[in-house]
Each structure stands twice: as structure tokens, then as C-alpha cells.
Amino acid sequence: MTRPLSVAIAGLGTVGGGVLMMLRDNADIIAARAGRPIAVTAVSARDRNKDRGVPTAGLRWYDDPVALAADPAVDVVVELIGGSEGVALALAEATFAAGKALVTANKALLAVHGAALAASAEERGVALAFEAAVAGGIPVIKALREGLAGNHVSAVAGILNGTCNYILTQMRERGREFAEVLADAQKLGYAEADPSFDIDGIDAAHKLAILAALAFGRPVAFDQVHVEGIRRISAVDIAFANELGYRIKLLGIARQTEAGIEARVHPCMVPQTVPIARVDGVFNAVVAEGDFVGRVMLQGRGAGAGPTASAIVADLIDIARNRFTPVWGASASELSTAPSVPMSSHVGPYYMRLMVVDRPGVIADVTAVLRDLGISLESMLQRGRSPGEAVPVVLVTHETKESAMREAVERIGRLPTVMEEPTLIRIETE
Amino acid sequence: MTRPLSVAIAGLGTVGGGVLMMLRDNADIIAARAGRPIAVTAVSARDRNKDRGVPTAGLRWYDDPVALAADPAVDVVVELIGGSEGVALALAEATFAAGKALVTANKALLAVHGAALAASAEERGVALAFEAAVAGGIPVIKALREGLAGNHVSAVAGILNGTCNYILTQMRERGREFAEVLADAQKLGYAEADPSFDIDGIDAAHKLAILAALAFGRPVAFDQVHVEGIRRISAVDIAFANELGYRIKLLGIARQTEAGIEARVHPCMVPQTVPIARVDGVFNAVVAEGDFVGRVMLQGRGAGAGPTASAIVADLIDIARNRFTPVWGASASELSTAPSVPMSSHVGPYYMRLMVVDRPGVIADVTAVLRDLGISLESMLQRGRSPGEAVPVVLVTHETKESAMREAVERIGRLPTVMEEPTLIRIETE
């Protein structure tokens, strides 16, 4: 057997502890599958004395995570610090400069600096592995980058944020409002004290940028992703969705269109009958559509110490076996230059929910705006009656261009009988 | 760029034609992802003049497929002949003897001779790749062998035969009997003229043997798989399943139990709420449960030229990139020697459907047998009444040992008021 693969871990929080535990508990099969033992030899974390449930004695301890890269006895650095800038970025650069492989769970780093980091890794011929950055332990990176590698992928979509999916599921199952469910999720540890990163869609957008780069073989382009979160979804929208045969999910969707690649994260109405509509709670799922393979879906736990450790250890086994794949599936010079298309060009059916004063003539005003913009309606629903007060009205459109819908939202929002800014949810039927 | 990977294809049926087409149509991205072009240079097939939708001019043509292995300009042989013996086996052995890699879609070959072939491949240090052998284009082999490689897998299960899943789905959706749906499926090309291989569970058992070997890191053991098909499932069972909150699926299940590894293919009742219950029609799905990753499910098209070609091309790209994985995940000397347990030791709840003469005392006789064998009932259902004629009666048991259930089936089948052999369907609640 070859000598052990020597691993340094930067960041010993929940995930770092999980990696230590998995490498210890499953050392036998990991060594068999890696062709050699995988041993953590150096670590960096703020608190040396915290109980992590795994012994850390005998490890070389660094106060400065960036110093791990220079440790001559380290072969691979596992970066679990997080954040797209600062220490995480410095450590990644130092690791490549030292000619070593990097394994990371850091989606922000990859989404923002993925192209430059890939160039650095490629220049040194070292691996940059990030299975843990998207959908936890579900091997979606491997599936897209290797398993479907012979396909032209036309679309990739997924439930990429477990916190949002948990909140939307709870809202539906218990008929409760967003703010209440969020507060509960924070108590249960399913949502952060500052939940913005999750519920405003940023985390999902980082992951989608990574999936889109892999699916379409082009450099990662986070700044081209349209992002909306779930704050404006109300219990009344969930009830209407149910009535219309849909479920509301926060999806990340990247699709090859005739004009270029469209990449967007926002709440969607999806038919109750499609498999992704059934993925509930903290679970994640990714669907990819290839020209030869057709539609493939993967689902499982998208977060947590165990699933994330599983992905990181899989990357370490690949590195131990010298199984090498270019960061974005092909070398930088071979990547596609397909353009991105702006969200304003998106075309699809829309759900628009208004709160209007319940009195004659209101619907006529609203539908006149739609007529003027050439937007055609598939259906209209109104719930309850309370003359002179606010009632919800739902309009479902046929295929419409996003720019026209935005204009409609603005004009309708200005009508004196419309009480608040209309809520717009895109309908995804494919 | 390195020189092209030179590929020989043995067997140019639907799948072989699909591989030629994919390598031609997607040559650009395949070369980028493989790091070099992948070129078919030699083929063997019965009919040189058949129109395959792709040009075959310029290829070296062999009448004897085994001769492909000896072609000095060939790097990899793709075996698409099928069958566990004869030409396919001879070609595999000749390929390894020539020090070349083999890619195959042949589950029978791997299930029956997988251990010996892995030893041959390992001795020469060449790849034996078989992503296409299980679940078509869904990258389940890669997911289990690499993506979840750090996990102790406790169970793997799947819908592994699209023909059976199609038949069971049609029976449920249309309320029709097995024989009628099978006849239609044959007309539509979803079932073979001789359907036994599919509907008697043999094809699924080959695939399960492969999955179990990967999941538990042990040599493939097809002869240890318990196999039952779907011939005895009747429309009345489907209706009862629905009433009880279940769907009937032909599943392959391999599970680590305290006594050893249990591997079985048979019709199952699964709760309507679990994801695999929703996988309908010709689709396949595989669920794996790992100690760190939790439960992961993959689903997609399990057969057809496109999906199968996708899997074969992914294997070719791995070989072109020199990404090497031992056949069963670890080298032969590192595989587990966990014993198999016989089906008679299986424990679980059971559904038993009887056709009995509708007259007093019948149920008392049946339940006396169960009492004598220590089998406890969870529920009993009876449909319709027609005094003096046959009516169905369904018994659902609590956890029971298979050996006791078999004895019960035999004794109950001998009762004069029971009109035909009872139908037994195992209930899977996990």
C-alpha cells in the first residue's frame, strides 16, 4: 500500500468534526477504496480546547489557516472556513501556489472566484474538488461532471436550499405564515439567526452558478444569476397554488435557450405531479436534462455534518486514487463562451396575486392593464367576499415575457384599488 | 492534445448505434471532457449493410467479435453482445488478456462472472467499466463506487426493470390484468417476445447483484439473490394495495442485517408516500442508505439507446482521462467477506391474498393456521360477497419470519375452502 494521503483541515466546526469522525469511524473501507489510508495530520481552528467528539491530540495545530498550505507534510487542504473573500480565498490561493490539492465546501468562494481559482489549479495541475459545495452528500457534482459528461445538457434545476424548502413545506402542511415558520425554524436550528443568506436566495444562487458552469461547460458566472427569495410568499399563495394543482418551491434553474443561458433562483409554482414537487422538508434535489440521457434526478440530504463529510471524503478518495477531473469539466481553454441572457427576456406563464378593494370595476381596471401590454390570461380566481375591504385576486397568464410582466406589476401596483405590491410567482411546467 | 482514444464496438444493435451517434454528435464536448478525442475505429456486427442511422464507412470490420481485442490499434473494447456466456465472456477474457480496458452494458456477464473478470482486470491493471449495466444512463455505479465511497452502506434498493415497472403502472392506472398489459407492452416494444427474463425478475436480480457488490464492497454473488417476478400479481392485489395505502413495485433490495447480507428481488408493497412509490412507467430508481450521507435516491430512464449510450460514453471518458477505480470499489484482497443470509431468515410484514369459498367458518380455519404458527395479524380485508363462490380475502401480518409465512402458505393452500395458491407480497416500510 502506498503511503497515507496527508490531509490538513481548516475549520473544525460541525462539518470539520464530521470529516474527522468519518475518517476515523470508516477508516477501513476508506483505505480500501482510496487504495491507501487517508490521515488528517494538521488542523486550524479558533478554539483548541472545544470538545468535538473526536480526539484531536497528535495533530499539528496552526493558528493561521493559511499556514496549513505551507506545511511540507500536507498533501491536500480541506477548506471549511466559508465566505468568498478573506481567509478562505487566501488559503485557496496559498494551497495552489504550494502545488497542493484543495477540497472545499465553500459555494460562495467557487461562485465568485471559481474561474480564477480554476485557472490557478489548472496551471499547477492540481485538483480543486467541491462535491460538498452543492446539495450536501448527494453526488451531483460527480454526476454532472463525469456521469453525464457525454451529454449536451439543456437544463439543470434544483431545490438547493434546505432552509427554504423546510419553511415552504411547513407553510403548506400547517397553513402558517412565513414569519411564524421562520421563527420556529430558527429555534430548531434549521435557519440562522441572520437568515438572509438562505431566505433571500443567495445561497441557492451560489450553488446554481456552480451547477450551471458544470452543466454547460462554461466559466462560473454568479453575477449573471437572477436572485429572488421567499420572503414575499404568503400562506394565501400556498393555498392558491394547491387549488391550481401546484406546489411552491424555491428553485434554481439554468437553461439553454436560443438566445443564451438563463440562470435564475426564485419561488416557482411546479405541478404537484412532477417528482421535484414531492421533495419536501430539508431535502435537496437536482434534475438535469441531457440530450442522450434524458432527465435524471438525484435527491437526498443537502446539509448537515454527515452528508457534507460524505462528500468531502469522496473528494479525498478521488485525490488519493489520482482520479483527476478539470474544475469545470474541461480545461479553461475548452470551455464554452455561450452568452447569458437577462431575466427580462425570460418567457413563461405567471401567477400574479393582488390584494384589491372588493368593489365593482376593480377587475376591469386590472385586466385593462394586461390587455394594453398584450398579456393574455389563462384563469382568474377570487377568494371570499368582503365589500369595501381587501380580498386576494389571482391571475394566471399564458406564456408572457418577463419585461411585460414587470411593467404590468408596476402599473397594477399603482391602481388606487390595489392595496399592496402584487406578488409574482413564475410557473414552471417543464 | 493527446492522441485519440481508439474504441472497438462489439455489437451494433440499438445501443451500439446510439454510442456511434453520441460520439459523433457530441464529439466536441466529449473531446473537451475526455481531454482527447474518442474515436470508434473498429466494429463487429452480424450485418454489414444494415442502416444504423450513422455512417460506418472507414471502420475496420471484424466478423469475429473476439478478434477486436487483438487489433493492435484498439485501446478499449465496448462489449454490447449480451449473455453471460459464449462470445461475450470470450471477448471479455481476450480483452483483458490483451491488456486492454473493457466497457460493457452486460449485467448477466457481470452478475455471473464478475468476480473472475475483476480478478483478470486487476491482474493486468486495466479497467472494467459497466455504468450502463444498471439503470441505464443514471450514474448509479459511479454514485455508489465513488460518490458514496466513504460510507458504510446499510441498504441499497431499486426499481431496476423498466418493463416490470411499466406493467405494474399500467395495471394500476387502468385497472387491468397482468396478461392483457403484458400483451400490450409486447406490441409497443416495452416487453420482449419472450418476456421471462424481465417479468420473472432475472434481469433485476443481475442488476441487484451488481449493486450489492458495490454497496457492501464484496464479491458479486448472483446465486445468493432470491428472485421472484410479477406474474402472480393480479388486478385485485393492486386494488387492495391502493386501499391499504401502498403501491406494488418490483424491487431489488440488498440489506446488511445482523446475520449477514440479504439480497432479494420480488414484488413489494411500499407506502404511497415514499419517493420510490412515485417512480412510474419505464423509469428506474435506486436508493442507497449510507451511515454518513443518509438516504440518497437517483432516478431516470433505465433503458433505451440514448441513456445506455450516455453511460457507455461516460465510462469511455473516465478511461480516456485515466480515472481508474477498482471493479468492485476496492481491490479483490480488500473486499468484505460478509456472509449472505437465506431468504428463509427474512423478517417483515406480509400481505397474503386468498381466494376462498364465501361460507361460514373459512376465516376461522385460516386464522387457526396462523395462530398455530405464531403469526400475528395486523388487519384483514374482504371484498364483496357471493355466497358459495370464490371471494378474495386479504390478511396483513405484523413482522413475521419468511419461513413461518411459507409454512402458512402451504397449510392454508391445502384447506379445502381455499381455491388457489395464496399470493404473498412482502411489505417494505423502511
Side-chain angles (χ1 to χ4, degrees):
Chain A
M1 196 169 274
T2 334
R3 72 175 184 81
L5 184 75
S6 169
V7 177
I9 301 182
L12 283 184
T14 322
V15 171
V19 173
L20 282 178
M21 200 174 293
M22 191 173 197
L23 289 172
R24 181 195 64 177
D25 292 358
N26 291 358
D28 54 344
I29 55 164
I30 291 170
R33 290 166 185 179
R36 49 179 166 150
I38 296 179
V40 177
T41 55
V43 293
S44 174
R46 282 206 197 102
D47 184 352
R48 293 196 186 203
N49 301 313
K50 187 173 144 193
D51 179 14
R52 296 178 167 88
V54 237
T56 50
L59 302 177
R60 292 186 298 283
W61 205 286
Y62 289 84
D63 289 320
D64 175 11
V66 180
L68 290 168
D71 183 324
V74 164
D75 301 316
V76 190
V77 173
V78 177
E79 183 272 306
L80 301 173
I81 296 166
S84 65
E85 314 298 328
V87 181
L89 181 60
L91 176 57
E93 285 171 345
T95 301
F96 298 141
K100 295 175 182 181
L102 183 78
V103 175
T104 180
N106 190 332
K107 45 253 174 192
L109 179 71
L110 280 156
V112 177
H113 297 292
L117 291 173
S120 289
E122 189 172 327
E123 197 186 315
R124 273 78 172 204
V126 295
L128 165 51
F130 52 94
E131 186 62 80
V134 182
I138 315 168
V140 292
I141 304 298
K142 191 172 270 289
L144 271 176
R145 202 164 65 163
E146 303 170 34
L148 308 187
N151 290 267
H152 279 286
V153 172
S154 57
V156 61
I159 294 174
L160 300 173
N161 183 276
T163 303
C164 289
N165 205 43
Y166 172 83
I167 292 173
L168 292 171
T169 302
Q170 287 285 312
M171 287 176 71
R172 179 174 57 80
E173 289 180 352
R174 308 189 177 238
R176 296 176 67 203
E177 277 299 350
F178 173 78
E180 299 164 41
V181 175
L182 173 61
D184 281 359
Q186 286 171 316
K187 275 182 218 142
L188 290 166
Y190 291 156
E192 306 280 338
D194 175 2
S196 164
F197 203 69
D198 290 314
I199 66 175
D200 292 328
I202 303 155
D203 174 72
H206 284 147
K207 294 167 180 170
L208 181 69
I210 294 169
L211 291 180
L214 291 171
F216 305 116
R218 63 168 199 162
V220 66
F222 173 62
D223 57 355
Q224 308 289 315
V225 180
H226 173 83
V227 191
E228 289 171 37
I230 62 169
R231 285 185 201 262
R232 297 210 62 224
I233 303 298
S234 155
V236 70
D237 298 314
I238 306 250
F240 275 118
N242 204 41
E243 190 170 338
L244 293 162
Y246 295 112
R247 293 273 165 89
I248 299 180
K249 295 287 176 191
L250 182 77
L251 295 188
I253 302 172
R255 180 168 282 140
Q256 179 81 61
T257 71
E258 278 179 30
I261 291 163
E262 154 180 300
R264 48 198 170 91
V265 169
H266 54 69
C268 296
M269 297 234 176
V270 288
Q272 283 165 5
T273 49
V274 305
I276 210 165
R278 313 273 189 171
V279 177
D280 281 332
V282 295
F283 286 84
N284 282 19
V286 172
V287 184
E289 176 107 30
D291 54 354
F292 278 77
V293 77
R295 192 167 290 191
V296 173
M297 181 165 112
L298 290 82
Q299 65 182 88
R301 292 189 176 279
T308 311
S310 171
I312 289 166
V313 170
D315 280 345
L316 290 171
I317 292 173
D318 276 353
I319 290 167
R321 282 262 178 214
N322 290 313
R323 284 193 295 254
F324 180 79
T325 308
V327 180
W328 302 112
S331 62
S333 62
E334 305 266 356
L335 293 180
S336 146
T337 53
S340 294
V341 291
M343 192 64 197
S344 52
S345 314
H346 172 71
V347 174
Y350 290 77
Y351 159 103
M352 176 160 48
R353 195 244 315 154
L354 313 172
M355 295 305 292
V356 300
V357 181
D358 188 7
R359 72 174 178 231
V362 173
I363 301 299
D365 293 347
V366 169
T367 51
V369 171
L370 298 177
R371 179 203 59 208
D372 293 351
L373 289 164
I375 296 171
S376 93
L377 281 183
E378 189 200 277
S379 60
M380 200 183 79
L381 290 174
Q382 190 173 337
R383 257 320 118 263
R385 296 239 43 195
S386 37
E389 289 180 37
V391 290
V393 170
V394 162
L395 308 167
V396 176
T397 75
H398 288 293
E399 298 258 303
T400 306
K401 200 168 177 189
E402 173 91 8
S403 50
M405 279 314 291
R406 289 197 194 165
E407 180 63 28
V409 163
E410 192 167 321
R411 291 194 202 172
I412 290 170
R414 282 199 304 262
L415 293 173
T417 46
V418 171
M419 312 300 288
E420 55 184 60
E421 195 193 335
T423 295
L424 208 61
I425 304 179
R426 295 166 194 91
I427 297 174
E428 294 294 323
T429 51
E430 278 179 50
Chain B
M1 193 167 272
T2 335
R3 70 173 184 82
L5 184 76
S6 168
V7 176
I9 300 182
L12 282 185
T14 322
V15 171
V19 173
L20 282 177
M21 200 173 293
M22 190 173 199
L23 289 173
R24 181 194 65 178
D25 291 358
N26 291 359
D28 55 344
I29 54 164
I30 290 170
R33 291 167 185 178
R36 49 178 165 149
I38 296 180
V40 177
T41 55
V43 293
S44 175
R46 284 210 195 99
D47 182 353
R48 294 197 184 201
N49 300 312
K50 188 173 144 194
D51 179 12
R52 296 178 166 89
V54 236
T56 49
L59 302 177
R60 293 186 297 283
W61 205 288
Y62 290 83
D63 289 320
D64 175 13
V66 180
L68 290 168
D71 183 323
V74 164
D75 301 316
V76 189
V77 173
V78 177
E79 183 274 305
L80 300 172
I81 295 165
S84 65
E85 314 297 328
V87 180
L89 181 60
L91 175 57
E93 286 170 345
T95 301
F96 298 141
K100 295 176 184 183
L102 183 78
V103 175
T104 178
N106 189 334
K107 44 252 175 194
L109 179 71
L110 281 156
V112 177
H113 296 293
L117 291 173
S120 289
E122 190 172 326
E123 195 185 317
R124 271 82 172 201
V126 295
L128 165 52
F130 51 94
E131 187 62 80
V134 182
I138 315 167
V140 291
I141 303 297
K142 192 173 268 291
L144 272 176
R145 203 165 63 164
E146 303 170 35
L148 308 186
N151 289 268
H152 279 286
V153 172
S154 57
V156 61
I159 294 174
L160 301 172
N161 184 277
T163 303
C164 288
N165 206 43
Y166 173 82
I167 291 173
L168 292 171
T169 303
Q170 287 286 311
M171 287 176 71
R172 178 174 58 78
E173 289 180 351
R174 307 190 178 238
R176 296 175 68 202
E177 279 298 352
F178 173 79
E180 298 164 42
V181 175
L182 172 61
D184 281 0
Q186 287 172 315
K187 274 182 217 142
L188 290 165
Y190 291 155
E192 306 280 338
D194 175 1
S196 164
F197 204 68
D198 290 313
I199 67 175
D200 292 329
I202 303 155
D203 175 71
H206 284 147
K207 294 167 179 168
L208 180 69
I210 294 169
L211 291 180
L214 290 171
F216 304 116
R218 64 167 201 164
V220 66
F222 173 63
D223 57 355
Q224 308 288 317
V225 180
H226 173 83
V227 191
E228 290 171 39
I230 61 169
R231 285 186 202 260
R232 298 211 61 224
I233 304 297
S234 154
V236 70
D237 299 314
I238 307 250
F240 275 118
N242 204 42
E243 190 170 337
L244 292 162
Y246 295 111
R247 293 272 167 90
I248 299 179
K249 294 286 177 192
L250 182 76
L251 295 188
I253 301 172
R255 179 169 283 140
Q256 179 82 60
T257 72
E258 280 180 29
I261 291 163
E262 156 180 299
R264 49 201 170 90
V265 169
H266 54 70
C268 294
M269 297 236 177
V270 288
Q272 282 165 7
T273 50
V274 305
I276 210 164
R278 313 275 190 170
V279 177
D280 282 331
V282 296
F283 286 85
N284 282 18
V286 172
V287 184
E289 176 107 30
D291 55 354
F292 278 75
V293 77
R295 194 169 288 191
V296 172
M297 181 165 113
L298 291 83
Q299 66 181 90
R301 293 189 175 277
T308 311
S310 172
I312 289 166
V313 170
D315 281 344
L316 290 171
I317 292 173
D318 276 352
I319 290 167
R321 281 266 179 210
N322 290 313
R323 285 194 294 253
F324 180 78
T325 308
V327 180
W328 303 112
S331 62
S333 61
E334 306 266 356
L335 293 179
S336 146
T337 53
S340 294
V341 289
M343 193 62 198
S344 52
S345 314
H346 172 70
V347 174
Y350 289 77
Y351 159 103
M352 177 161 45
R353 195 244 316 152
L354 314 172
M355 294 305 291
V356 300
V357 181
D358 188 7
R359 73 172 178 232
V362 173
I363 301 300
D365 294 345
V366 169
T367 51
V369 170
L370 299 177
R371 178 202 60 209
D372 294 348
L373 288 164
I375 296 169
S376 93
L377 281 182
E378 188 199 278
S379 59
M380 200 182 77
L381 290 175
Q382 191 173 338
R383 259 317 120 263
R385 295 238 45 192
S386 36
E389 288 180 38
V391 291
V393 169
V394 162
L395 307 167
V396 175
T397 74
H398 288 295
E399 296 259 305
T400 306
K401 199 164 176 191
E402 172 91 9
S403 50
M405 280 312 291
R406 288 197 195 165
E407 179 63 28
V409 163
E410 193 168 320
R411 290 194 204 172
I412 290 170
R414 281 199 305 262
L415 292 174
T417 47
V418 171
M419 311 302 286
E420 55 185 57
E421 195 193 335
T423 295
L424 208 61
I425 304 179
R426 296 168 193 91
I427 298 174
E428 295 293 323
T429 50
E430 280 180 48

